[in-house]
Amino acid sequence: MKRDIILAGVGGQGILSIAAVIGMAAVESGLYLKQAEVHGMSQRGGAVQSHLRIADSPIASDLIPEGNCDMILSVEPMEALRYLPFLAKEGWVVTSSRTFKNIDDYPPEDDLFAEIRKLQNHVIIDAFAIAREIGSQKVSNIVMLGAASDYLGLTQESLEGALDTLFRRKGEDVVMLNIKALKAGKNGVKI
Amino acid sequence: MSRFVLLGDEAIGQGALDAGLSGVYAYPGTPSTEITEYIQKSKEAQERKVHAQWSANEKTAMEAGLGMSYAGKRALVCMKHVGLNVAADAFINAGMTGVNGGLVVVVADDPSMHSSQNEQDSRFYGKFSMVPVLEPSTQQEAYEMTRYGFDLSEKYALPVMLRITTRLAHSRSSVERKANREENPVKFPSDLKQFILLPANARKRYKMLLSTQDKLEQEGENSGLNRLEEGKDSSTGVIACGLAYNYYREVAGEAGLNHPVLKISQYPVSAKMLNQFVQQVDRVVVLEEGAPLLEESLVGVLENSYRINGRLDGLLPRDGELTPSLVKLALGVTVEPAREVPGIVKNRPPALCKGCSHIDMYNALGEALEPYGPGRVFSDIGCYTLGALPPYNAINSCVDMGASVTMAKGASDAGIRPSVAVIGDSTFTHSGMTGLLDAVVEKTPVTVIISDNSTTGMTGGQQSHATNRLVDICRGLGVEKEHIREMNPLRKHHEENRKMVSEELEYNGVSVIIAQRECIQTASRRLKSQKSKV
């Protein structure tokens, strides 16, 4: 078992939280993990990504080789396309439809989604709307994690366990909201 | 023992704690910051009262670390690569004095310049100062080599450099902890003249340092950190340093390569080991994350019959970090053309946060400078460097910590007036104060704007030594009271702020404008944590 995933988004959108949940669930499930992330300058509203690798045997490289990525999981549609050189032939792009426009030359949305739909394997979901419906737009990132969850090779229990561990100090309500977001994301899409 | 998922940086912090650390000294700098933050947050470190406060800059950190080592205790000093330039005087001379308690200096390099102004390779400093350098490939190795670094430091009474790069510093993996050990007690050096580098003494110390080098080479072989891994295909032998080893293993696993490999994680490297390796293969590919340091020493300048390939002959790019794809190409593995990034994807550079005080400061400055024309603003290292980007286009330099003040002074000396420096509060106390003193002594006409957001913002909001001290510091350095001005950088005060800057630009001497408003990132975190406590 081996999964190479690129998490993509804009600084502040919570991709490192997604990475932390998957990472913790993977390690608790006895899998090997490497997860490279971006800190520092780029976090100020710039494009950010994390290379996340999980496997049942030791992993050598912290970076995913180009053309080997099984899934690009993005919380922003333009950011989903930025890492296409890494995507494997049969790889999936799973992205939120919610755009984040902090640059003047952001492309027209129709062109953007047309580009994503050209890909053989893609999922576009309105994670923002789903998150708002269940209580808070802040959990859009966990809705996206839910949308990808069937494909991660991790059990639902291990992901919920990781959410519990990571958000416990913020209170039971926050844990429950995140678990709800995970489920809503999972039900919102079937790959 | 227990397993943890840790960043490379955090693995070093835990490794140091478990090795009996008594104090960490550091100035924040990407990608090294999380080492010290990890120790600051560690309950165990708090209970043991391990020193973990930030230092004013890397030089003060290095010297304080050396002082703790003098007292017999183990100290860790952490910085980014360019921080070592600041600490270099202390670092090089610590090689001369040697140490008493173990002293490990972690330097985090940033090849490809993700968050830095250059990609200098700190291993050169190790070579220059003739102290051992360790270069881990994995988080587990980072953990273990920190411990080993302290052992090595105490065995040879020398500081030890632990060199990492961004990809290891900021990559997580699970780490297995080993048993921890006690801190050292306070113990004076057995020779109380060891640290006195008067020439007569320094000459003796230098001979000692030189005579240790052979043993240090041997140590790398005995430790197993430099080791030969057999391979059947000797048409190529791979020398893989630090993180580069991971890329070779990744590529070899995928493409079924089976070359002999010399894994290098400790310097100086034994010449015997290198000679033996080179002789058993047809050619050598050297993989180094950073500059071609080892490759250069293998190639030399004289004609020889060995085939050495790497960054020097163009097999690999001379600059930038390595990737699995680059290593594939270097080893002749076919790389299928990757998908392209669609043309509609636009760059999304980092930007100043909405509501940031630097924006209001730049708006006031920009308008005040309009009558004089462009090219007069020397800036510095921090979030406000993003003022270089549109729509602000507000600054003309960003060189090194503190250079804004002194470059503005030099330009003023040359006749550019008004000449403006824009520097952050933490950068000012790091390296701006001494430059300001130069200007005060000569009454050089400069306008220094300290954009004070009361934090070290770019690295994630660490405590700033400048907080609530800037007026006193400027007064103490001799800036005239009436030319230390304070502004509140908010849009509603724009007109008065612009007027204040205009007045000071006209002043024929040193003026300092302190534009103080808390960083909105730290402010919102503070408000959140206050709310959750209520």
Side-chain angles (χ1 to χ4, degrees), chain B residues 129-285:
Chain B
S129 61
M130 290 185 284
V131 306
V133 177
L134 305 176
E135 195 187 10
S137 329
T138 65
Q139 292 76 359
Q140 184 69 39
E141 284 184 2
Y143 173 84
E144 286 168 14
M145 283 187 202
T146 307
R147 170 78 152 251
Y148 171 68
F150 281 109
D151 295 345
L152 193 64
S153 172
E154 292 183 355
K155 180 172 177 187
Y156 291 96
L158 283 174
V160 170
M161 179 194 287
L162 184 69
R163 186 247 185 181
I164 56 171
T165 52
T166 308
R167 291 300 173 194
L168 181 57
H170 288 166
S171 173
R172 270 172 225 282
S173 193
S174 76
V175 172
E176 190 177 332
R177 270 180 77 178
K178 304 281 162 71
N180 60 359
R181 71 174 169 210
E182 293 288 305
E183 293 178 31
N184 284 344
V186 171
K187 182 174 148 281
F188 285 94
S190 53
D191 172 8
L192 284 174
K193 292 188 175 141
Q194 180 191 335
F195 289 79
I196 306 173
L197 293 180
L198 273 170
N201 205 16
R203 285 181 206 114
K204 275 186 231 152
R205 297 286 325 167
Y206 190 45
K207 281 192 199 301
M208 278 173 67
L209 181 60
L210 290 170
S211 70
T212 316
Q213 297 303 304
D214 286 350
K215 287 179 219 146
L216 295 179
E217 277 192 18
Q218 192 57 47
E219 192 70 39
E221 231 172 311
N222 299 343
S223 67
L225 299 188
N226 295 340
R227 62 171 185 265
L228 174 68
E229 295 177 357
E230 303 286 350
K232 291 202 180 89
D233 181 2
S234 61
S235 62
T236 294
V238 176
I239 298 182
C241 303
L243 195 77
Y245 174 80
N246 300 354
Y247 299 140
Y248 174 71
R249 280 290 160 223
E250 178 78 26
V251 169
E254 193 187 312
L257 305 180
N258 189 11
H259 299 300
V261 178
L262 194 58
K263 180 184 190 300
I264 302 294
S265 281
Q266 183 166 357
Y267 308 80
V269 182
S270 149
K272 192 180 97 205
M273 199 175 207
L274 290 170
N275 269 296
Q276 282 173 352
F277 183 75
V278 170
Q279 278 162 23
Q280 61 167 284
V281 296
D282 299 338
R283 67 144 185 175
V284 174
V285 170

Side-chain angles (χ1 to χ4, degrees), chain A residues 111-131:
Chain A
D111 296 359
L112 196 57
F113 291 115
E115 200 66 57
I116 296 171
R117 290 196 182 96
K118 277 189 209 164
L119 298 164
Q120 184 193 332
N121 299 320
H122 68 268
V123 172
I124 303 170
I125 76 163
D126 193 347
F128 186 83
I130 295 173

Side-chain angles (χ1 to χ4, degrees), chain B residues 7 47 172 294 509:
Chain B
L7 291 175
E47 280 162 18
R172 270 172 225 282
L294 198 59

Side-chain angles (χ1 to χ4, degrees), chain A residues 18 21-22 73 141-149 152 159 163 182:
Chain A
I18 302 179
V21 177
I22 300 176
L73 174 56
N141 58 340
I142 303 301
V143 172
M144 286 312 301
L145 171 61
S149 60
L152 298 173
L159 289 169
L163 284 171
L182 185 76

Side-chain angles (χ1 to χ4, degrees), chain A residues 33 35 39 44 62 79 100, chain B residues 34 171-173 348 351:
Chain A
L33 161 84
Q35 183 225 322
H39 293 206
R44 299 275 166 265
D62 297 82
E79 294 309 317
F100 186 95
Chain B
E34 293 82 359
S171 173
R172 270 172 225 282
S173 193
R348 198 190 300 259

Side-chain angles (χ1 to χ4, degrees), chain B residues 413-433:
Chain B
D413 290 341
I416 292 182
R417 296 191 188 164
S419 180
V420 180
V422 172
I423 186 168
D425 51 311
S426 183
T427 306
F428 178 71
T429 45
H430 178 291
S431 286
M433 299 189 295

